[in-house]
Amino acid sequence: IILGLVLFVLNIPHLLFLSLLHQRAPLDVNRRIIELIVRKEQKEQVSSSVSAVSPHPNNNYSVHYWMGCHSTPLYSHLHIRLGGRSHDIPTQIDTRTLDCSPSCRLTQDCESDAFHQDPVGFIQH
């Protein structure tokens, strides 16, 4: 019993690290994207109310993830509602990821491979 308790206590730091910190960057990236969009939309709402122009914000955004396939959760973590309960304005976020589908794997011509071989060339192309 004592040995089991000691092993459990020794593993607590590992459990905390793996559950709270390890590989959390993909989720943090999506949180940051949401923060930036909300901040931009709030700024536009304030400026439109000051200028007495009818607020009609452009709620369509596009995000291109230049990282390995399936590296980040997409739509499950990119939901934004602006305007409060009385005037919910849905925000559309279109995402694009590097192609690494099975069909491109058959031809050996995948965007993800091209990006990893030459990131600067891929972006400039």
Side-chain angles (χ1 to χ4, degrees):
I1 293 179
I2 294 175
L3 179 62
L5 185 61
V6 168
L7 289 175
F8 177 74
V9 170
L10 289 175
N11 280 303
I12 288 177
H14 302 98
L15 293 171
L16 290 173
F17 171 76
L18 291 173
S19 64
L20 299 175
L21 300 175
H22 182 65
Q23 293 189 354
R24 69 180 235 183
L27 296 176
D28 289 345
V29 164
N30 283 339
R31 281 190 204 107
R32 180 68 176 143
I33 290 168
I34 291 170
E35 273 178 32
L36 292 171
I37 291 172
V38 167
R39 189 177 309 146
K40 180 183 180 296
E41 292 292 332
Q42 288 171 343
K43 185 187 287 186
E44 286 180 3
Q45 287 174 356
V46 168
S47 66
S48 65
S49 66
V50 168
S51 64
V53 175
S54 174
H56 186 52
N58 179 10
N59 294 325
N60 297 322
Y61 296 91
S62 179
V63 177
H64 190 155
Y65 291 95
W66 290 335
M67 56 180 69
C69 296
H70 313 292
S71 294
T72 187
L74 295 177
Y75 295 110
S76 64
H77 286 76
L78 287 177
H79 296 288
I80 301 175
R81 286 271 196 218
L82 298 169
R85 291 177 188 258
S86 59
H87 9 13
D88 245 358
I89 304 167
T91 300
Q92 178 69 36
I93 302 174
D94 297 318
T95 61
R96 186 174 184 293
T97 59
L98 298 173
D99 184 22
C100 63
S101 62
S103 61
C104 87
R105 292 283 173 210
L106 291 174
T107 62
Q108 301 296 322
D109 188 30
C110 292
E111 282 182 332
S112 58
D113 295 336
F115 176 74
H116 289 294
Q117 289 171 0
D118 182 17
V120 175
F122 180 84
I123 293 169
Q124 290 175 345
H125 185 268

